[in-house]
Amino acid sequence: MMKMKHRYLALCWSALCLAAAAPAVLAQDYTPVPVTISRSQVSMNGRQYYAHIVLERQTIYGITKAYNVTEEDLYDANPMLKEEGLRSGTVIYIPVVSEHKDRPATVKETPVKEKPVTKEKVEKEKPVREKPATREKPATREKPATREKPAKENRQKTVEPKEGYIQHTVKWFEDIYDVAAAYGVTPQQIMEANGLKSSAISKRQILLIPVGEAAKSTGQAVAPTVTTTLVPEEAEKAKTAVETVPATVAEPVVKTEEKVDDDEPGPVDFPVAKGSADIALVMPFNANGRYSESNMDFYSGVLMALRDLEKEGVKTTLNVFDLQAGTPSSYELNKNDVILGPITPADLTKILDVTNGQVPVVSPLDQRAASLAETHEGFVQAPSSTASQYTELAAWAAEDRAREDRIILVSEITSDGSTAAATGIRNALRAVGAPFEEASWTVGQGRSLPAALTTRLARGGVNRIIVASEKETFVGDMVRNLGILIGQGYQIAMYAPSRVRTFETVDGSLYHQDDLHICSPYHADYDSEEVKAFVRAYRALYRTDPSQFAFQGYDLTRYFARMCAKYGNRWPRALEREPGSGIHTDFRFEKVRNGSYRNTGIRRIRYNTDYTTSLVR
């Protein structure tokens, strides 16, 4: 015991000697990093906050001066700062004050001389990602301030009914060109009637539309079918209910399933360059309890995207809502340009019912939510469906097929005689007109080489085997049997759904042996310079590798924020014309109905025989 005590004292003495010599080495000029005001904002508890990512060597003093807040303001919004201090890579929240408008975007601190520190104090602590603060659910919700309209001179004023005019409430997908076309007037006539100085309008704005003599006085007659004027009783209602069009006002005749010819110019060819995006992120974070790791990863990817969007000149405002704290109100949600989340079909349905088609809701992760596009307006399904995978798989095999090759569709014989995968791929092969043969057997028969397969193989060309099964036992036997056939001199190329990558009992090296081709809605090519840059930046901020949820949060935020910035509130109508490729996901949208869209973007991945994996498309 005495020996241990003497050893401890000796170590302490050595440490004190090192500390005494340390000031000469560690004392140096300390140059703080300039603080740039973040363009990313978060709404919490009815207040707006900047989401600021702390950089190495930034200080409390520099941050408070840049944002024109007090240290107490900073501590109130981030209680952990008093105990832990600033940590590089973490996100802190800073109250938004009006004085920021007159302040420079970047504030530099005066360099100061740092006091000598001991060796123990210079050890770096591991950064911890901050949870988004929980939005408290007040008994009586206060109405937040109305967000600024796209054009200052076009801010909504009280609209008084006039004889010879009818009122129109702007929907989320409309611009002035849509409204003008619906009523048979020109955009200039609408601008004159409403005193607008530009063509920018916003959703739920009330517009006066000239009809009859009023339209003639502005320079052009309109279609004679619209002749209804407001009666005094309805005019009075319009003053108290600005979001409701009076019952006596004739609705414009608009074809709900109108198809725009891609070769003909239309309103979508003249995008409204808004230059900014208001984004709502709705997730069950459970910030006050055991939070979801995957949802936090998604949120981290969103923050990374906001940082890069700022570099591109796209101003973003992020409003974060923890679904565990309750469902946000329509007022909180409908002031945004796009809503990301939530995840499950049940939670998405709640948000769709609240927004009532006023703001597009994007399903970010769950393929099962695709059916909501058939029943709800303003719904965007981002994850590609399994059916899209089957279609792409069949098209790939058909494109690769040479004259001497043979396509063989292999499936398991089940109690009902078929599987969803077999039916989907069979229909897709027929749709592309590719000749193919079919072979089926039970799992027990697949333990050895089934005659149903060997009798259909070609010797002269490549046998392109499409495995239409997502069952691990069947696929495992198939992979092993194809290896045997390769040993017998057959040329084999295997095609399968992306789920086979998750099978734990299948040796991954056999996929390379069988020249596996898979189609997947997600894939990050780690040989890509863009992916490498993202991974490096993510590691630097969070001290961990990004998961697929972080990749997805990054891709979705960048794509939809860019669409909002480019097209304003008309961005959903441009989805079909604006395909995109992220670092993890491709975007190829098609219109379903009710102004809803679904993504059909699929990536082709090949497991090469040299044990490399490549992104083909």
Side-chain angles (χ1 to χ4, degrees):
M1 184 70 178
M2 291 298 293
K3 288 183 179 179
M4 290 295 292
K5 184 177 291 186
H6 285 306
R7 185 179 181 186
Y8 174 75
L9 291 173
L11 288 173
C12 289
W13 176 252
S14 300
L16 287 172
C17 292
L18 287 172
V25 179
L26 297 176
Q28 55 185 328
D29 288 338
Y30 178 74
T31 305
V33 174
V35 178
T36 301
I37 295 177
S38 173
R39 293 188 179 183
S40 303
Q41 294 187 17
V42 177
S43 176
M44 297 183 297
N45 303 328
R47 291 195 62 184
Q48 288 294 116
Y49 296 85
Y50 289 104
H52 177 83
I53 299 176
V54 179
L55 302 181
E56 191 76 30
R57 299 172 72 180
Q58 285 185 342
T59 66
I60 293 284
Y61 176 82
I63 292 174
T64 56
K65 290 300 180 185
Y67 286 92
N68 196 27
V69 296
T70 65
E71 291 188 13
E72 196 61 35
D73 291 334
L74 206 58
Y75 290 136
D76 288 343
N78 307 272
M80 75 289 178
L81 288 180
K82 288 187 177 180
E83 298 179 1
E84 303 175 359
L86 286 178
R87 294 186 182 184
S88 173
T90 58
V91 177
I92 62 174
Y93 300 105
I94 303 169
V96 175
V97 294
S98 58
E99 286 82 355
H100 294 157
K101 297 178 182 179
D102 301 324
R103 295 184 58 82
T106 302
V107 176
K108 294 185 178 180
E109 255 186 273
T110 304
V112 296
K113 189 81 172 181
E114 188 184 42
K115 296 180 180 179
V117 294
T118 61
K119 206 170 187 181
E120 290 78 9
K121 288 186 179 180
V122 296
E123 292 182 357
K124 295 181 179 178
E125 292 182 311
K126 183 179 178 181
V128 179
R129 287 177 291 170
E130 298 295 333
K131 304 176 187 178
T134 304
R135 178 173 57 83
E136 297 179 2
K137 194 173 182 181
T140 303
R141 192 186 300 276
E142 294 184 4
K143 192 173 183 181
T146 304
R147 115 180 123 131
E148 190 175 353
K149 301 300 178 184
K152 185 176 180 180
E153 62 272 15
N154 288 355
R155 291 180 180 177
Q156 180 67 54
K157 300 177 181 179
T158 303
V159 178
E160 297 290 343
K162 297 180 182 180
E163 185 175 355
Y165 294 84
I166 60 175
Q167 289 183 333
H168 175 83
T169 304
V170 179
K171 298 181 176 60
W172 62 269
F173 54 84
E174 292 179 322
D175 65 8
I176 198 166
Y177 300 97
D178 295 321
V179 178
Y183 289 95
V185 298
T186 66
Q188 186 63 32
Q189 287 176 294
I190 296 178
M191 291 171 62
E192 292 177 6
N194 293 272
L196 304 180
K197 296 181 180 180
S198 73
S199 61
I201 57 177
S202 58
K203 58 179 176 288
R204 294 196 289 179
Q205 183 174 351
I206 308 297
L207 295 177
L208 290 175
I209 311 298
V211 295
E213 294 300 321
K216 292 179 182 179
S217 66
T218 56
Q220 183 179 352
V222 298
T225 55
V226 183
T227 57
T228 308
T229 57
L230 292 176
V231 295
E233 292 80 8
E234 295 300 333
E236 188 62 29
K237 292 180 181 179
K239 296 180 182 179
T240 57
V242 295
E243 293 187 13
T244 304
V245 178
T248 57
V249 177
E251 287 291 331
V253 180
V254 182
K255 296 180 180 179
T256 56
E257 293 294 328
E258 181 180 1
K259 184 176 180 181
V260 180
D261 190 349
D262 288 347
D263 296 329
E264 294 181 4
V268 79
D269 297 316
F270 306 96
V272 178
K274 181 184 177 186
S276 63
D278 296 328
I279 304 170
L281 177 62
V282 184
M283 289 274 182
F285 290 110
N286 195 21
N288 284 338
R290 186 179 180 85
Y291 65 88
S292 166
E293 187 69 27
S294 59
N295 292 349
M296 287 298 297
D297 286 349
F298 186 92
Y299 176 59
S300 300
V302 170
L303 293 179
M304 290 283 291
L306 297 183
R307 185 198 64 168
D308 290 348
L309 287 164
E310 182 176 349
K311 295 177 182 178
E312 298 174 13
V314 178
K315 182 179 179 181
T316 57
T317 299
L318 180 66
N319 300 304
V320 182
F321 300 96
D322 186 355
L323 205 57
Q324 294 295 116
T327 304
S329 69
S330 60
Y331 193 91
E332 291 174 306
L333 293 175
N334 288 345
K335 65 179 181 179
N336 296 280
D337 297 314
V338 61
I339 300 171
L340 296 182
I343 300 173
T344 67
D347 287 342
L348 283 164
T349 300
K350 292 179 183 177
I351 299 301
L352 286 166
D353 290 342
V354 171
T355 58
N356 195 28
Q358 293 296 316
V359 181
V361 177
V362 177
S363 166
L365 296 169
D366 197 338
Q367 292 180 336
R368 297 172 301 175
S371 60
L372 295 177
E374 301 288 343
T375 57
H376 289 79
E377 180 183 357
F379 178 75
V380 181
Q381 174 70 2
S384 300
S385 65
T386 303
S388 296
Q389 293 184 48
Y390 298 157
T391 301
E392 190 69 18
L393 204 63
W396 193 1
E399 292 170 12
D400 288 348
R401 176 184 171 275
R403 180 175 297 180
E404 62 275 13
D405 295 348
R406 189 166 296 174
I407 298 177
I408 303 175
L409 177 62
V410 171
S411 60
E412 175 191 355
I413 296 178
T414 60
S415 57
D416 61 357
S418 182
T419 64
T423 303
I425 297 175
R426 185 185 300 114
N427 293 338
L429 285 168
R430 289 170 179 167
V432 297
F436 67 97
E437 298 185 33
E438 292 193 59
S440 302
W441 55 83
T442 64
V443 173
Q445 293 171 331
R447 300 297 179 186
S448 58
L449 276 172
L453 175 62
T454 57
T455 56
R456 289 173 169 79
L457 296 174
R459 278 287 184 182
V462 178
N463 293 281
R464 305 192 178 278
I465 311 297
I466 303 179
V467 182
S469 176
E470 295 185 351
K471 290 188 177 180
E472 191 164 353
T473 53
F474 186 85
V475 173
D477 290 339
M478 191 69 235
V479 169
R480 187 187 67 255
N481 288 333
L482 292 182
I484 296 173
L485 292 173
I486 291 172
Q488 295 176 359
Y490 288 98
Q491 298 182 63
I492 299 293
M494 176 180 171
Y495 297 75
S498 63
R499 190 177 177 185
V500 303
R501 294 188 295 180
T502 65
F503 294 160
E504 297 180 355
T505 60
V506 180
D507 184 355
S509 64
L510 298 180
Y511 288 149
H512 295 279
Q513 170 191 277
D514 296 347
D515 191 14
L516 174 64
H517 298 58
I518 64 172
C519 291
S520 173
Y522 314 117
H523 180 75
D525 181 10
Y526 282 84
D527 291 329
S528 163
E529 290 301 322
E530 192 175 4
V531 172
K532 290 179 181 178
F534 173 78
V535 172
R536 285 195 299 267
Y538 194 93
R539 286 172 176 168
L541 279 176
Y542 303 119
R543 300 296 191 267
T544 187
D545 285 329
S547 68
Q548 67 169 357
F549 301 102
F551 277 107
Q552 189 71 347
Y554 180 82
D555 277 353
L556 288 178
T557 303
R558 286 195 79 187
Y559 177 78
F560 287 108
R562 285 170 170 174
M563 292 294 291
C564 293
K566 184 176 181 180
Y567 291 101
N569 62 3
R570 298 194 69 249
W571 68 263
R573 291 189 58 186
L575 282 175
E576 291 181 289
R577 301 188 179 191
E578 288 281 346
S581 292
I583 58 177
H584 185 248
T585 308
D586 287 335
F587 300 102
R588 305 285 187 276
F589 285 98
E590 64 178 16
K591 189 173 182 179
V592 182
R593 56 181 301 177
N594 298 327
S596 293
Y597 297 83
R598 62 186 172 202
N599 188 15
T600 62
I602 295 292
R603 295 195 163 187
R604 296 179 178 182
I605 303 104
R606 184 173 181 179
Y607 286 66
N608 304 307
T609 54
D610 61 356
Y611 294 93
T612 61
T613 303
S614 57
L615 177 62
V616 179
R617 191 180 73 186

